[in-house]
Every structure is written in C-alpha cells, then in structure tokens.
Amino acid sequence: VGSAQDPVEPDAGPWLDPDELSCWMAMGRMMLKLRSAMECQLERESQLSYIEYHVLAMLSEREDHTLRMSDLAIVTNASLSRLSHLIKRLEARGYVRREPRPGDRRSTNAVLTDAGYDKLVTAAPGHARAVRSLVFDKLGTQERRVVRSVSERITARVEASDWDKQVT
Amino acid sequence: VGSAQDPVEPDAGPWLDPDELSCWMAMGRMMLKLRSAMECQLERESQLSYIEYHVLAMLSEREDHTLRMSDLAIVTNASLSRLSHLIKRLEARGYVRREPRPGDRRSTNAVLTDAGYDKLVTAAPGHARAVRSLVFDKLGTQERRVVRSVSERITARVEASDWDKQVT
DNA sequence: CAAGATTGATCTGTCAATCTTC
DNA sequence: GAAGATTGACAGATCAATCTTG
C-alpha cells in the first residue's frame, strides 16, 4: 500500500507513518470483511443483497410504505439508474410495485407490497443478530462513542472534499 | 434498518438499541463514502481501480516483484477467478505479465513489469495524500489506537464466525 | 481425487442517451 | 431547459464448469 520500507520513494508525497499505515490497513480489512459478511448473511438467509434489503427497509419506515424513486435513491446511496434496474427485479419478485406519483406526473412511487413487507420482517432479525454479534458484542460504550464520532468526522470530511466528484 | 420505532417486531430478535443503531449507521455511511472516495481518487488521478492499485502494490512489495496467482488472490482479497480476469486486463495494458512458475507446473506467477512499477510510483503519492487528508488529518493518537484495535477485533470476529461461508 | 488456474455464461452496475413532464 | 425516470450497451464480478498437474 505504501509502507515505509516500500520500494516507492518515501519523499514523493506526504507519506503515511508506520502507525497510520497499520491503522489504515486494519480499517481496510475490517471494512472489506464486514461488508462481505453482511452481504453473505443476508444472501444466504434471505436471498437478498445488501442494497435490496435496504430498499425494503427504507420503504417500510414510511407509514404508507411508499417513497419516490429519487428519494429512495438518496436514502439507499444508489444512482437513479441503478435503482431503476434494481426495482425492476424486485418488482418481478413481487416485493415492490411502481405507481405514478399523484401531483407530479414525472415522478414514480415505489411501494412495498405485502409480500415485500413479509420478506423484510423475516429477514430483519437475522440481520440485526449478525450486526450485534459481529460488531457490538465485544465493544465497550466508550469505544462505541469513539467509533461513531470518528465515523461521522470521516464521512463529513469525505463529503466536504470533492474527492468523489472532481479534480483535486 | 431496524430502529426501535421500526414496523418490524422488536422482540423477533436481539434488537439494536438506539445507540448501537446510530453507531452502526454512522459506520455504514463512513465505509461506503470512504471507499467510493478512494475509488474515485485513484480512477481519476491514475486510471486504476482500487483493486488494480492493490495488485500492483502487493507485487511491488516483493523483492522480485512476483507473486503466485493464488497468493496474490489472498492478499488482495479477490477470488482466483476475479483475479484471473483482472490480470488479463492488466497484462493487456502492459503493467503485469504472467509466466509459468518454476517448480510447480500448475502454478502461474504474476510479475510486475517496469511500466507497471512506474505506474504505481506515479499513483502512490496521490493515494497516500488522500488517505491522510480524509482519514488521519483530524484523528488524535488516542482515537487512532481505538480505531485500530476495534477494527482488528471486528475483523477477527468476522473471520471466526463462518458468516462469510456457511450456515449460521 | 485435490490444487492451481482459466474460461464462458450470467448477473449487476455504470454511463450515455432518451423520453416525458415541469 | 431542468427534473424525474427509464433504457440499452458496455464493463466488471460471480458462479459453475473445465483443464492440467500433483
């Protein structure tokens, strides 16, 4: 990645010191493994991908189980295009249906069907159990606070920088 | 996701309390955004995906710039199949070449070419700068310790559980 | 038969049009 | 013209064979 004993010149940029590096590698592994563990758990126990689960979850949190496509895209961190393809598949499986949105004929509402709600109700406990077992069971209150605070700061930093959009 | 006021039954499993939930959501956002920011930075500045960068990086850390396909798959967290397709593309771009491994005629070595090494040397400083700027610049020594420790514990926990492999 | 690696089919996501309504 | 959404083509990843050597 860019260790101190790396073949790459150490003075070519603001290098990571060994301490930062080991922290960064630990974070990298954690993010990767945790993510894929959650994916596998959902896929295996409920035949849902992570994003599919969240689509159902986000819809279920509305009283009318309905969300505009654009808004759903935002809360699930997906592009509108990706969501459109995704909803098409969920629709075919009977978990969601689309209907024109009253009031603005450009918009489409995604609506959670009864079958979709049942699916979520079945999937949710296993998901929660996995999160608790993998993440929180061995985490102290103090550590939890630090993790949350750091996560929020990094997220804010990422969003502030335009790294995910444009030039440096 | 599974908040306390969720439509889904709170007693259907070991539920997440509000504190755990907000921590989990913060982590989720962070992991997602940070990952995609790093992807974008590399892609934009060096026309390399995250995994492509790491393939080059892992190869560069060997004195002979060589690694067996299976081993490279492990250190880059990729499946052998994925790696095979990937190396084919990197080979076409001239960054890597494949040669039969002396000693075991089943194995293949992936070797970093000079062009591949140059590519990495060019890409690395920008990558390191991004990590430092997005992750470490506003992180205290104490927090860094906590983050690393927590990351390691979660990773170990994930690897111990067979969540990413088999049945619960 | 197991280990190492590759290949082709298929699935999913991204990107660049496209279409409709505001 | 911009906003909301969809579509089709293409790139990348997964999965199930397949092939070769140990």
mmCIF file of all heavy atoms in Angstrom, chain B residues 69-70 81 85 98 106-108, chain C residues 2-9:
data_model
loop_
_atom_site.group_PDB
_atom_site.id
_atom_site.type_symbol
_atom_site.label_atom_id
_atom_site.label_comp_id
_atom_site.label_asym_id
_atom_site.label_seq_id
_atom_site.Cartn_x
_atom_site.Cartn_y
_atom_site.Cartn_z
ATOM 1 N N MET B 69 -0.366 -16.574 -8.448
ATOM 2 C CA MET B 69 -1.752 -16.130 -8.589
ATOM 3 C C MET B 69 -2.556 -16.389 -7.318
ATOM 4 O O MET B 69 -3.246 -15.497 -6.817
ATOM 5 C CB MET B 69 -2.414 -16.827 -9.786
ATOM 6 C CG MET B 69 -1.937 -16.349 -11.148
ATOM 7 S SD MET B 69 -2.364 -14.620 -11.500
ATOM 8 C CE MET B 69 -4.088 -14.779 -11.981
ATOM 9 N N SER B 70 -2.483 -17.592 -6.795
ATOM 10 C CA SER B 70 -3.257 -17.926 -5.582
ATOM 11 C C SER B 70 -2.910 -16.999 -4.430
ATOM 12 O O SER B 70 -3.793 -16.529 -3.714
ATOM 13 C CB SER B 70 -2.963 -19.354 -5.130
ATOM 14 O OG SER B 70 -2.906 -20.193 -6.226
ATOM 15 N N SER B 81 -10.817 -16.501 -9.680
ATOM 16 C CA SER B 81 -11.460 -16.224 -10.956
ATOM 17 C C SER B 81 -11.428 -14.727 -11.279
ATOM 18 O O SER B 81 -11.039 -14.316 -12.377
ATOM 19 C CB SER B 81 -12.903 -16.721 -10.901
ATOM 20 O OG SER B 81 -13.654 -16.147 -11.925
ATOM 21 N N HIS B 85 -9.312 -12.822 -14.497
ATOM 22 C CA HIS B 85 -9.853 -11.856 -15.448
ATOM 23 C C HIS B 85 -9.113 -10.524 -15.338
ATOM 24 O O HIS B 85 -8.758 -9.902 -16.328
ATOM 25 C CB HIS B 85 -11.345 -11.610 -15.175
ATOM 26 C CG HIS B 85 -12.231 -12.743 -15.569
ATOM 27 N ND1 HIS B 85 -12.333 -13.206 -16.865
ATOM 28 C CD2 HIS B 85 -13.069 -13.519 -14.848
ATOM 29 C CE1 HIS B 85 -13.202 -14.199 -16.918
ATOM 30 N NE2 HIS B 85 -13.659 -14.420 -15.703
ATOM 31 N N ARG B 98 2.397 -12.635 -17.107
ATOM 32 C CA ARG B 98 2.301 -13.936 -16.457
ATOM 33 C C ARG B 98 3.383 -14.853 -16.968
ATOM 34 O O ARG B 98 3.724 -14.829 -18.151
ATOM 35 C CB ARG B 98 0.927 -14.567 -16.741
ATOM 36 C CG ARG B 98 -0.151 -13.989 -15.855
ATOM 37 C CD ARG B 98 -1.440 -14.729 -16.022
ATOM 38 N NE ARG B 98 -2.249 -14.144 -17.076
ATOM 39 C CZ ARG B 98 -3.574 -14.274 -17.132
ATOM 40 N NH1 ARG B 98 -4.217 -14.984 -16.226
ATOM 41 N NH2 ARG B 98 -4.252 -13.715 -18.107
ATOM 42 N N ARG B 106 1.589 -26.401 -12.162
ATOM 43 C CA ARG B 106 0.190 -25.973 -12.094
ATOM 44 C C ARG B 106 0.102 -24.470 -11.902
ATOM 45 O O ARG B 106 -0.837 -23.816 -12.331
ATOM 46 C CB ARG B 106 -0.516 -26.639 -10.901
ATOM 47 C CG ARG B 106 -0.744 -28.102 -11.051
ATOM 48 C CD ARG B 106 -1.272 -28.677 -9.759
ATOM 49 N NE ARG B 106 -0.335 -28.427 -8.652
ATOM 50 C CZ ARG B 106 -0.567 -28.822 -7.399
ATOM 51 N NH1 ARG B 106 -1.691 -29.444 -7.093
ATOM 52 N NH2 ARG B 106 0.312 -28.597 -6.463
ATOM 53 N N SER B 107 1.092 -23.923 -11.229
ATOM 54 C CA SER B 107 1.034 -22.528 -10.786
ATOM 55 C C SER B 107 1.440 -21.528 -11.849
ATOM 56 O O SER B 107 2.181 -21.843 -12.778
ATOM 57 C CB SER B 107 1.930 -22.335 -9.566
ATOM 58 O OG SER B 107 1.541 -23.184 -8.532
ATOM 59 N N THR B 108 0.953 -20.303 -11.700
ATOM 60 C CA THR B 108 1.336 -19.199 -12.559
ATOM 61 C C THR B 108 1.854 -18.063 -11.690
ATOM 62 O O THR B 108 1.289 -17.796 -10.634
ATOM 63 C CB THR B 108 0.124 -18.687 -13.358
ATOM 64 O OG1 THR B 108 -0.496 -19.773 -14.023
ATOM 65 C CG2 THR B 108 0.538 -17.639 -14.359
ATOM 66 P P DA C 2 -11.117 -34.676 -3.423
ATOM 67 O OP1 DA C 2 -11.587 -34.714 -2.025
ATOM 68 O OP2 DA C 2 -11.977 -34.135 -4.489
ATOM 69 O "O5'" DA C 2 -9.750 -33.871 -3.438
ATOM 70 C "C5'" DA C 2 -8.762 -34.118 -2.434
ATOM 71 C "C4'" DA C 2 -7.612 -33.154 -2.632
ATOM 72 O "O4'" DA C 2 -7.020 -33.378 -3.939
ATOM 73 C "C3'" DA C 2 -8.013 -31.677 -2.602
ATOM 74 O "O3'" DA C 2 -6.981 -30.942 -1.945
ATOM 75 C "C2'" DA C 2 -8.151 -31.319 -4.076
ATOM 76 C "C1'" DA C 2 -7.093 -32.199 -4.723
ATOM 77 N N9 DA C 2 -7.398 -32.606 -6.096
ATOM 78 C C8 DA C 2 -8.572 -33.137 -6.563
ATOM 79 N N7 DA C 2 -8.551 -33.423 -7.849
ATOM 80 C C5 DA C 2 -7.275 -33.045 -8.251
ATOM 81 C C6 DA C 2 -6.618 -33.086 -9.488
ATOM 82 N N6 DA C 2 -7.177 -33.546 -10.602
ATOM 83 N N1 DA C 2 -5.342 -32.631 -9.542
ATOM 84 C C2 DA C 2 -4.774 -32.175 -8.414
ATOM 85 N N3 DA C 2 -5.292 -32.089 -7.192
ATOM 86 C C4 DA C 2 -6.551 -32.545 -7.179
ATOM 87 P P DA C 3 -7.092 -29.335 -1.839
ATOM 88 O OP1 DA C 3 -6.532 -28.902 -0.534
ATOM 89 O OP2 DA C 3 -8.453 -28.942 -2.242
ATOM 90 O "O5'" DA C 3 -6.076 -28.877 -2.969
ATOM 91 C "C5'" DA C 3 -4.731 -29.323 -2.936
ATOM 92 C "C4'" DA C 3 -3.916 -28.522 -3.928
ATOM 93 O "O4'" DA C 3 -4.233 -28.961 -5.262
ATOM 94 C "C3'" DA C 3 -4.217 -27.022 -3.895
ATOM 95 O "O3'" DA C 3 -2.996 -26.319 -4.086
ATOM 96 C "C2'" DA C 3 -5.194 -26.819 -5.041
ATOM 97 C "C1'" DA C 3 -4.738 -27.885 -6.030
ATOM 98 N N9 DA C 3 -5.793 -28.432 -6.873
ATOM 99 C C8 DA C 3 -7.070 -28.746 -6.517
ATOM 100 N N7 DA C 3 -7.802 -29.253 -7.494
ATOM 101 C C5 DA C 3 -6.925 -29.265 -8.573
ATOM 102 C C6 DA C 3 -7.069 -29.678 -9.906
ATOM 103 N N6 DA C 3 -8.206 -30.193 -10.398
ATOM 104 N N1 DA C 3 -6.000 -29.565 -10.716
ATOM 105 C C2 DA C 3 -4.862 -29.058 -10.218
ATOM 106 N N3 DA C 3 -4.604 -28.626 -8.977
ATOM 107 C C4 DA C 3 -5.684 -28.772 -8.202
ATOM 108 P P DG C 4 -2.967 -24.719 -4.187
ATOM 109 O OP1 DG C 4 -1.664 -24.266 -3.670
ATOM 110 O OP2 DG C 4 -4.232 -24.213 -3.625
ATOM 111 O "O5'" DG C 4 -3.001 -24.476 -5.749
ATOM 112 C "C5'" DG C 4 -1.819 -24.660 -6.499
ATOM 113 C "C4'" DG C 4 -2.047 -24.201 -7.911
ATOM 114 O "O4'" DG C 4 -3.105 -24.989 -8.491
ATOM 115 C "C3'" DG C 4 -2.510 -22.737 -8.023
ATOM 116 O "O3'" DG C 4 -1.627 -22.046 -8.892
ATOM 117 C "C2'" DG C 4 -3.922 -22.825 -8.564
ATOM 118 C "C1'" DG C 4 -3.937 -24.168 -9.271
ATOM 119 N N9 DG C 4 -5.241 -24.811 -9.344
ATOM 120 C C8 DG C 4 -6.141 -24.985 -8.325
ATOM 121 N N7 DG C 4 -7.228 -25.621 -8.690
ATOM 122 C C5 DG C 4 -7.041 -25.873 -10.042
ATOM 123 C C6 DG C 4 -7.881 -26.538 -10.975
ATOM 124 O O6 DG C 4 -8.990 -27.032 -10.792
ATOM 125 N N1 DG C 4 -7.298 -26.589 -12.247
ATOM 126 C C2 DG C 4 -6.063 -26.074 -12.570
ATOM 127 N N2 DG C 4 -5.673 -26.206 -13.831
ATOM 128 N N3 DG C 4 -5.274 -25.452 -11.697
ATOM 129 C C4 DG C 4 -5.820 -25.394 -10.457
ATOM 130 P P DA C 5 -1.777 -20.479 -9.093
ATOM 131 O OP1 DA C 5 -0.497 -19.946 -9.538
ATOM 132 O OP2 DA C 5 -2.440 -19.925 -7.908
ATOM 133 O "O5'" DA C 5 -2.785 -20.420 -10.314
ATOM 134 C "C5'" DA C 5 -2.350 -20.975 -11.557
ATOM 135 C "C4'" DA C 5 -3.505 -21.073 -12.513
ATOM 136 O "O4'" DA C 5 -4.544 -21.886 -11.982
ATOM 137 C "C3'" DA C 5 -4.179 -19.752 -12.877
ATOM 138 O "O3'" DA C 5 -3.638 -19.339 -14.140
ATOM 139 C "C2'" DA C 5 -5.675 -20.120 -12.958
ATOM 140 C "C1'" DA C 5 -5.682 -21.637 -12.770
ATOM 141 N N9 DA C 5 -6.854 -22.199 -12.100
ATOM 142 C C8 DA C 5 -7.185 -22.094 -10.780
ATOM 143 N N7 DA C 5 -8.293 -22.730 -10.450
ATOM 144 C C5 DA C 5 -8.706 -23.273 -11.654
ATOM 145 C C6 DA C 5 -9.821 -24.067 -11.990
ATOM 146 N N6 DA C 5 -10.751 -24.453 -11.109
ATOM 147 N N1 DA C 5 -9.946 -24.461 -13.284
ATOM 148 C C2 DA C 5 -9.011 -24.071 -14.158
ATOM 149 N N3 DA C 5 -7.927 -23.343 -13.959
ATOM 150 C C4 DA C 5 -7.835 -22.967 -12.673
ATOM 151 P P DT C 6 -4.157 -17.979 -14.815
ATOM 152 O OP1 DT C 6 -3.079 -17.513 -15.707
ATOM 153 O OP2 DT C 6 -4.715 -17.091 -13.779
ATOM 154 O "O5'" DT C 6 -5.343 -18.516 -15.734
ATOM 155 C "C5'" DT C 6 -5.098 -19.675 -16.537
ATOM 156 C "C4'" DT C 6 -6.361 -20.099 -17.256
ATOM 157 O "O4'" DT C 6 -7.286 -20.690 -16.313
ATOM 158 C "C3'" DT C 6 -7.133 -18.963 -17.943
ATOM 159 O "O3'" DT C 6 -7.284 -19.317 -19.310
ATOM 160 C "C2'" DT C 6 -8.448 -18.908 -17.182
ATOM 161 C "C1'" DT C 6 -8.591 -20.330 -16.689
ATOM 162 N N1 DT C 6 -9.427 -20.510 -15.483
ATOM 163 C C2 DT C 6 -10.539 -21.316 -15.547
ATOM 164 O O2 DT C 6 -10.897 -21.882 -16.565
ATOM 165 N N3 DT C 6 -11.230 -21.429 -14.357
ATOM 166 C C4 DT C 6 -10.919 -20.842 -13.154
ATOM 167 O O4 DT C 6 -11.604 -21.017 -12.161
ATOM 168 C C5 DT C 6 -9.732 -20.008 -13.150
ATOM 169 C C7 DT C 6 -9.291 -19.325 -11.890
ATOM 170 C C6 DT C 6 -9.060 -19.892 -14.306
ATOM 171 P P DT C 7 -7.864 -18.209 -20.340
ATOM 172 O OP1 DT C 7 -7.207 -18.443 -21.637
ATOM 173 O OP2 DT C 7 -7.840 -16.881 -19.707
ATOM 174 O "O5'" DT C 7 -9.390 -18.662 -20.471
ATOM 175 C "C5'" DT C 7 -9.671 -20.008 -20.834
ATOM 176 C "C4'" DT C 7 -11.169 -20.242 -20.838
ATOM 177 O "O4'" DT C 7 -11.638 -20.365 -19.471
ATOM 178 C "C3'" DT C 7 -11.985 -19.120 -21.482
ATOM 179 O "O3'" DT C 7 -12.750 -19.687 -22.535
ATOM 180 C "C2'" DT C 7 -12.837 -18.565 -20.344
ATOM 181 C "C1'" DT C 7 -12.873 -19.719 -19.353
ATOM 182 N N1 DT C 7 -12.990 -19.364 -17.923
ATOM 183 C C2 DT C 7 -13.917 -20.017 -17.152
ATOM 184 O O2 DT C 7 -14.677 -20.853 -17.602
ATOM 185 N N3 DT C 7 -13.935 -19.639 -15.826
ATOM 186 C C4 DT C 7 -13.126 -18.707 -15.207
ATOM 187 O O4 DT C 7 -13.230 -18.467 -14.022
ATOM 188 C C5 DT C 7 -12.170 -18.057 -16.076
ATOM 189 C C7 DT C 7 -11.243 -17.028 -15.504
ATOM 190 C C6 DT C 7 -12.150 -18.410 -17.370
ATOM 191 P P DG C 8 -13.527 -18.734 -23.543
ATOM 192 O OP1 DG C 8 -13.443 -19.365 -24.883
ATOM 193 O OP2 DG C 8 -13.128 -17.320 -23.356
ATOM 194 O "O5'" DG C 8 -15.011 -18.932 -23.011
ATOM 195 C "C5'" DG C 8 -15.477 -20.248 -22.747
ATOM 196 C "C4'" DG C 8 -16.927 -20.189 -22.300
ATOM 197 O "O4'" DG C 8 -16.977 -19.894 -20.874
ATOM 198 C "C3'" DG C 8 -17.775 -19.121 -22.983
ATOM 199 O "O3'" DG C 8 -19.086 -19.665 -23.172
ATOM 200 C "C2'" DG C 8 -17.744 -17.956 -21.994
ATOM 201 C "C1'" DG C 8 -17.682 -18.693 -20.646
ATOM 202 N N9 DG C 8 -16.984 -17.984 -19.582
ATOM 203 C C8 DG C 8 -15.935 -17.107 -19.704
ATOM 204 N N7 DG C 8 -15.511 -16.650 -18.553
ATOM 205 C C5 DG C 8 -16.318 -17.265 -17.621
ATOM 206 C C6 DG C 8 -16.334 -17.169 -16.210
ATOM 207 O O6 DG C 8 -15.604 -16.493 -15.472
ATOM 208 N N1 DG C 8 -17.325 -17.965 -15.652
ATOM 209 C C2 DG C 8 -18.195 -18.760 -16.358
ATOM 210 N N2 DG C 8 -19.077 -19.447 -15.652
ATOM 211 N N3 DG C 8 -18.191 -18.855 -17.674
ATOM 212 C C4 DG C 8 -17.235 -18.092 -18.235
ATOM 213 P P DA C 9 -20.276 -18.688 -23.710
ATOM 214 O OP1 DA C 9 -20.936 -19.475 -24.772
ATOM 215 O OP2 DA C 9 -19.779 -17.324 -24.009
ATOM 216 O "O5'" DA C 9 -21.269 -18.622 -22.462
ATOM 217 C "C5'" DA C 9 -21.571 -19.820 -21.758
ATOM 218 C "C4'" DA C 9 -22.505 -19.519 -20.594
ATOM 219 O "O4'" DA C 9 -21.743 -18.929 -19.514
ATOM 220 C "C3'" DA C 9 -23.633 -18.536 -20.923
ATOM 221 O "O3'" DA C 9 -24.810 -18.946 -20.246
ATOM 222 C "C2'" DA C 9 -23.080 -17.207 -20.426
ATOM 223 C "C1'" DA C 9 -22.272 -17.640 -19.210
ATOM 224 N N9 DA C 9 -21.130 -16.771 -18.903
ATOM 225 C C8 DA C 9 -20.261 -16.190 -19.796
ATOM 226 N N7 DA C 9 -19.328 -15.463 -19.221
ATOM 227 C C5 DA C 9 -19.599 -15.581 -17.864
ATOM 228 C C6 DA C 9 -18.975 -15.048 -16.730
ATOM 229 N N6 DA C 9 -17.905 -14.263 -16.770
ATOM 230 N N1 DA C 9 -19.501 -15.357 -15.523
ATOM 231 C C2 DA C 9 -20.578 -16.153 -15.482
ATOM 232 N N3 DA C 9 -21.251 -16.714 -16.474
ATOM 233 C C4 DA C 9 -20.701 -16.382 -17.660
#
